[in-house]
């Protein structure tokens, strides 16, 4: 398991900085439009080298992402808890894990595609 803390983090900032890097590489002739794909963009992100999360737990009864890992959570399972962060205990964490274990991870596919 990888635990990553994002302090003073902003997805909009991260994506903007990645695009600045891409533009700089393009101006230097080191990047062509056809070279740009999701994997390449990921290498420009501040989170490069950190695995995309499999589960995102949002506490406090909020049902929004709030500018958090917008690029990285494309295939992340989301779990929303009404419990506030300071009170999020072992039992709440187990509930989130149990919920996650009951999900079918398809990564953009449908169930039938996974079976074949």
């Amino acid at each position: 398991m990888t635990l990553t803390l994002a302090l003073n983090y902003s997805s909009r900032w991260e994506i903007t900085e990645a695009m600045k890097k891409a533009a700089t590489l393009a101006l230097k002739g080191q990047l062509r439009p056809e070279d740009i794909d999701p994997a390449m963009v990921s290498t420009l992100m501040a989170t490069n080298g950190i695995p995309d999360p499999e589960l995102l737990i949002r506490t406090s009864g909020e049902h929004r992402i709030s500018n958090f890992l917008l690029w990285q959570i494309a295939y992340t399972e989301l779990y929303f808890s009404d419990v506030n962060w300071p009170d999020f205990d072992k039992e709440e964490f187990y509930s989130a894990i149990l919920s996650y274990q009951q999900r079918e991870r398809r990564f953009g596919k449908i169930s039938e595609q996974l079976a074949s």
Side-chain angles (χ1 to χ4, degrees), residues 3-4 7-8 20 25 28-29 31 39 41-42 56 64-65 70 75 78 80 82 86 92 95 97 103:
L3 174 64
T4 304
L7 305 173
N8 199 26
K20 288 178 185 178
L25 291 171
K28 292 179 179 179
L31 179 64
V41 172
S42 291
L56 179 88
R64 56 185 161 80
I65 303 305
L70 297 176
Y75 297 110
L78 306 177
F80 299 100
D82 290 330
E92 283 295 318
S95 292
I97 297 300
R103 300 179 189 194

Side-chain angles (χ1 to χ4, degrees), residues 24-96:
T24 299
L25 291 171
L27 286 172
K28 292 179 179 179
Q30 298 172 349
L31 179 64
R32 301 170 306 159
E34 57 271 16
D35 296 332
I36 300 171
D37 64 10
M40 184 269 166
V41 172
S42 291
T43 68
L44 300 175
M45 305 296 267
T47 53
N48 182 35
I50 300 172
D52 289 347
E54 293 185 43
L55 174 65
L56 179 88
I57 300 171
R58 179 62 198 242
T59 59
S60 308
E62 299 291 345
H63 288 235
R64 56 185 161 80
I65 303 305
S66 299
N67 194 22
F68 188 71
L69 298 176
L70 297 176
W71 177 265
Q72 298 84 347
I73 63 170
Y75 297 110
T76 298
E77 298 294 326
L78 306 177
Y79 180 82
F80 299 100
S81 171
D82 290 330
V83 176
N84 291 326
W85 172 247
D87 300 320
F88 193 86
D89 58 13
K90 182 170 56 174
E91 286 77 25
E92 283 295 318
F93 181 66
Y94 288 157
S95 292

Side-chain angles (χ1 to χ4, degrees), residues 77 94-106:
E77 298 294 326
Y94 288 157
S95 292
I97 297 300
L98 286 173
S99 172
Y100 172 80
Q101 289 176 330
Q102 295 172 8
R103 300 179 189 194
E104 180 182 55
R105 301 288 311 230
R106 298 189 311 263

